[in-house]
Amino acid sequence: MPITLTVPEGLLSPEAEARTFSELTRALLKINGLDGNSFMEPNVVGTLNVLPKGHVFSGGKPAAAAFVELKLPTIALATPEAKHAFTEAATTILERAAEGRLSRDRIWTNVVYADDGSWGIGGRAYSNSELVDAIQHAAR
């Protein structure tokens, strides 16, 4: 389940970058009730895009801002409560990591859902029901 975090240079220290990504991963797993699941943990992947100052925008102007995008199967963060919980967790994680260089109103999150049957892991396309089966099997 890819997480894409985009920030401008200097917003997060190198130590905070790695810690932030780890915390976002843990939040996603926890909210979905998948902490410690041996199938899901290694499949929460992602990228950190650190762009040059002046290449991140809000209102058409360069800004200190952070963007978190999740690409998930439709079974993840499916309820409004789960989406709200992840948005709140991600915002808190980034605000804390930026150590005063970022305000909450400059942190955006969004979720993009993959079509059922198009989730590829290790060269195999999983349907939602196959993902659930793999997750449940790993929990045994």
Side-chain angles (χ1 to χ4, degrees), residues 33 45 71-72 82 89 96 106 108 117 123:
V45 299
K71 292 181 184 86
L72 301 171
R96 184 177 56 241
R106 294 290 182 236
W108 287 269

Side-chain angles (χ1 to χ4, degrees), residues 1-106:
M1 314 303 117
I3 300 171
T4 303
L5 173 59
T6 304
V7 296
E9 285 178 319
L11 185 68
L12 303 177
S13 70
E15 300 81 21
E17 290 173 356
R19 185 179 65 248
T20 299
F21 216 91
S22 177
E23 289 178 13
L24 291 170
T25 299
R26 285 195 313 270
L28 177 61
L29 289 166
K30 181 179 180 183
I31 290 164
N32 280 288
L34 296 171
D35 309 33
N37 186 281
S38 64
F39 178 80
M40 280 308 302
E41 281 192 357
N43 288 307
V44 177
V45 299
T47 56
L48 170 62
N49 301 316
V50 179
L51 302 178
K53 284 185 180 180
H55 288 221
V56 175
F57 298 87
S58 172
K61 298 176 184 165
F67 313 111
V68 179
E69 180 175 278
L70 301 175
K71 292 181 184 86
L72 301 171
T74 55
I75 57 174
L77 293 183
T79 67
E81 295 82 13
K83 291 174 194 167
H84 177 78
F86 183 79
T87 297
E88 179 59 33
T91 301
T92 299
I93 289 165
L94 281 157
E95 185 179 36
R96 184 177 56 241
E99 299 176 333
R101 293 181 295 277
L102 181 65
S103 62
R104 293 179 75 79
D105 66 342
R106 294 290 182 236

